[in-house]
């Protein structure tokens, strides 16, 4: 997929305007999810090496039918989902995208299209807007055309520029997403200038999260600490000067020493539905062997959210061990990312190695000192699957 | 402020959430939970009423409440967030 780094979600902010909090009933059941990431397809015209889709992409022939997605949207709304991110892969590859947007709107869910922009014609956008689409998040791979096309592995920048203009013409909210890494972190100024000229409301500067293809390409993508410091200096420069554009910085967790609050907690805020109907607590959970992901073709979304073993496995803090269980930050970062703990240590209940308190933190530290000049392995459906991760396996 | 006729920004939706029994402002990447009175103010922000007219309507509806001070202040805050235009 082209835009969402694995672990971004639509977190409901601590409400700015709230006088009395709506009370949840006694916590017999988990609180309802706010957001759903709908990976409508893993097909994509782009080949971005930072993609967080699994290296074993789900084939088009296994994708859910239109009626399945219509039912999923209705069930999601009933469960409490208010935001749907229609993503992929490239969701525009779905011939029934308009019907899916209609079903989302009919359910009363706010829809955002997460797209590369490739294939977004004026006629298609008009149909999507008429169906109830609210906003568009457009990916771009760098601030200039040549570098963007090089990272995407396809000539696509011109199509993105055209798509941005169409979205603005249609009056929809437009956000830009740029996944950051060694090969574009030095061009924050260009990216911001691009966002200004394309008329976006929001720029997500999303440091690469290492899952799926990004994990496979980790050596080629990891930036240097100096690069990150320079980029953050530019971020702060623009935050002070830009009016009307929100700049979002998704942290490079390998460099922070503190783990990210992955997904706002496992099974806490958001769920992901994959192209084949598998439902995941985190878009990176495809790689978690030994934890069977339930499927909307077998169970209701409510049962999956409330009852399934997969969603309850790391919910709350019961599953934690030391150093997490006695950590004052345990309710802030939830021990970090379960998928990252699994990918690096082989144990999903371990402390995320991005945390400096993890016994495996040295693995991350060594990686951040490495000089990455590895070539890109471009994302492609034809590629055989490649085993990833593991402290005892050769570094990728 | 006097000639301003507040309206929700194009990408912002006001919606009642039956599951949480709460009024929400929904926008890309964010959900804001409103309390009951806040929603009844936002409902009047349809681009046709001035702030004074909104205050007058609410004063009729909530005679006990200090709407003349609180409503303009609230609208100003929401505008500053970019959710009202």
């Amino acid at each position: 997929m082209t835009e969402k780094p694995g672990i971004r979600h639509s977190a409901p902010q601590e409400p700015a305007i709230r006088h009395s909090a709506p009370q949840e009933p006694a916590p017999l059941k988990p609180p309802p999810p706010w957001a759903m990431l709908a990976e409508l397809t893993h097909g994509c015209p782009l080949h971005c090496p930072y993609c967080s889709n699994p290296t074993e992409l789900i084939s088009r022939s296994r994708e859910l039918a239109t009626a399945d997605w219509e039912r999923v949207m209705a069930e999601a709304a009933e469960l409490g989902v208010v935001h749907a991110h229609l993503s992929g892969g490239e969701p525009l590859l779905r011939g029934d995208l308009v019907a899916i947007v209609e079903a989302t709107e009919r359910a009363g869910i706010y829809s955002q299209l997460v797209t590369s922009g490739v294939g977004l014609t004026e006629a298609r956008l008009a149909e999507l807007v008429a169906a109830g689409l609210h906003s568009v998040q457009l990916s771009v791979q760098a601030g200039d055309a040549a570098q963007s096309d090089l990272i995407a592995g396809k000539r696509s920048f011109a199509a993105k520029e055209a798509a941005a203009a169409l979205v603005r013409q249609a009056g929809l909210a437009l956000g830009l997403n740029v996944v950051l890494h060694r090969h574009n972190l030095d061009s924050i100024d260009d990216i911001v200038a691009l966002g200004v000229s394309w008329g976006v409301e929001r720029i997500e500067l999303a440091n690469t999260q290492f899952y799926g293809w990004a994990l496979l390409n980790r050596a080629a993508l990891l930036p240097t600490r100096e690069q990150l410091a320079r980029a953050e200096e530019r971020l702060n420069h623009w935050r002070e000067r830009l009016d009307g554009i929100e700049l979002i910085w998704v942290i490079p967790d390998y460099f922070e020493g503190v783990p990210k609050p992955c997904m706002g907690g496992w099974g806490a805020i958001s769920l992901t539905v994959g192209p084949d109907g598998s439902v995941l607590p985190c878009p990176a959970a495809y790689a978690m062997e030994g934890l069977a992901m339930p499927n909307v073709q077998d169970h209701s979304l409510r049962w999956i959210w409330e009852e399934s073993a997969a969603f309850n496995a790391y919910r709350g803090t019961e599953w934690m061990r030391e150093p997490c269980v006695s950590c004052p930050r345990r309710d802030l970062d939830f021990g970090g990312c379960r998928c990252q703990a699994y990918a690096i240590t082989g144990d999903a209940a371990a402390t995320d190695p991005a945390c400096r308190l993890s016994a495996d933190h040295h693995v991350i530290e060594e990686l951040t000192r490495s000089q990455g000049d590895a070539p890109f392995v471009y994302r492609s459906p034809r590629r055989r699957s490649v085993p990833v991760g593991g402290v005892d396996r050769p570094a990728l | 402020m006097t000639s301003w006729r507040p309206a929700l920004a194009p990408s912002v939706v006001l919606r009642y959430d039956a599951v949480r029994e709460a009024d929400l402002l929904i926008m890309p990447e964010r959900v804001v939970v409103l309390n009951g009175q806040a929603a009844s103010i936002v409902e009047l922000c349809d681009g046709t009423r001035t702030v004074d007219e909104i205050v007058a309507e609410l004063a009729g509806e909530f005679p006990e409440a200090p709407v003349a001070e609180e409503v303009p202040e609230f609208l100003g805050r929401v505008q500053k967030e970019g959710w009202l235009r």
Side-chain angles (χ1 to χ4, degrees), chain A residues 235-246:
Chain A
L235 169 76
N236 293 329
H237 170 91
W238 289 115
R239 274 196 171 148
E240 283 165 23
R241 285 163 184 78
L242 269 189
D243 205 23
I245 298 183
E246 187 183 4

Side-chain angles (χ1 to χ4, degrees), chain A residues 300-312:
Chain A
S300 73
L301 215 51
R302 178 176 300 280
W303 182 89
I304 291 170
W305 179 259
E306 293 175 354
E307 312 283 341
S308 72
F311 274 78
N312 282 305

Side-chain angles (χ1 to χ4, degrees), chain A residues 298-351:
Chain A
D298 308 319
H299 301 281
S300 73
L301 215 51
R302 178 176 300 280
W303 182 89
I304 291 170
W305 179 259
E306 293 175 354
E307 312 283 341
S308 72
F311 274 78
N312 282 305
Y314 305 107
R315 198 170 244 153
T317 52
E318 294 281 296
W319 57 271
M320 285 181 180
R321 302 190 303 251
E322 291 297 352
C324 294
V325 74
S326 62
C327 180
R329 288 185 53 87
R330 70 175 192 170
D331 296 312
L332 297 175
D333 59 34
F334 320 107
C337 176
R338 298 304 90 228
C339 303
Q340 185 150 283
Y342 178 77
I344 292 177
T345 74
D347 177 2
T351 300

Side-chain angles (χ1 to χ4, degrees), chain A residues 151-164:
Chain A
I151 295 167
K154 182 183 172 68
R155 192 162 293 200
S156 52
F157 186 86
K160 291 166 184 292
E161 191 166 28

Side-chain angles (χ1 to χ4, degrees), chain A residues 4 8 10-11 13 15 17 19 22 32-34 78-80 82-83 108 110 112 134-135 137 173 202 204 246, chain B residues 10-11 13 15 17 19-22 24 26-35 38 74 77-78 81 83 85:
Chain A
K4 281 267 159 196
R8 277 280 299 160
S10 163
Q13 308 270 312
I17 300 159
H19 299 179
W34 289 93
E78 222 170 278
L79 188 56
V82 301
H83 256 152
Y110 189 102
Q112 169 162 269
H134 288 282
S135 75
Q137 188 197 82
R202 201 174 57 257
E204 278 190 17
E246 187 183 4
Chain B
S11 58
V13 173
R15 226 202 66 195
D17 179 347
V19 172
R20 297 175 184 82
E21 299 179 359
L24 308 177
I26 311 177
M27 59 202 88
E29 312 291 340
R30 185 172 298 175
V31 178
V32 179
V33 183
L34 299 170
N35 80 338
F74 169 78
R77 264 194 297 146
V78 181
E81 295 284 355
W83 308 331
R85 285 179 185 174

Side-chain angles (χ1 to χ4, degrees), chain B residues 3-82:
Chain B
S3 63
W4 179 37
R5 296 173 193 271
L8 283 176
S11 58
V12 181
V13 173
L14 173 66
R15 226 202 66 195
Y16 178 69
D17 179 347
V19 172
R20 297 175 184 82
E21 299 179 359
D23 291 294
L24 308 177
L25 280 185
I26 311 177
M27 59 202 88
E29 312 291 340
R30 185 172 298 175
V31 178
V32 179
V33 183
L34 299 170
N35 80 338
Q37 287 108 308
S40 49
I41 302 169
V42 175
E43 271 167 17
L44 298 177
C45 297
D46 60 1
T48 70
R49 297 169 175 86
T50 64
V51 175
D52 285 348
E53 286 163 351
I54 291 170
V55 168
E57 257 187 70
L58 290 165
E61 210 176 321
F62 305 102
E64 306 295 309
V67 292
E69 298 86 59
E70 287 191 353
V71 170
E73 190 266 333
F74 169 78
L75 292 174
R77 264 194 297 146
V78 181
Q79 184 192 32
K80 211 171 163 205
E81 295 284 355

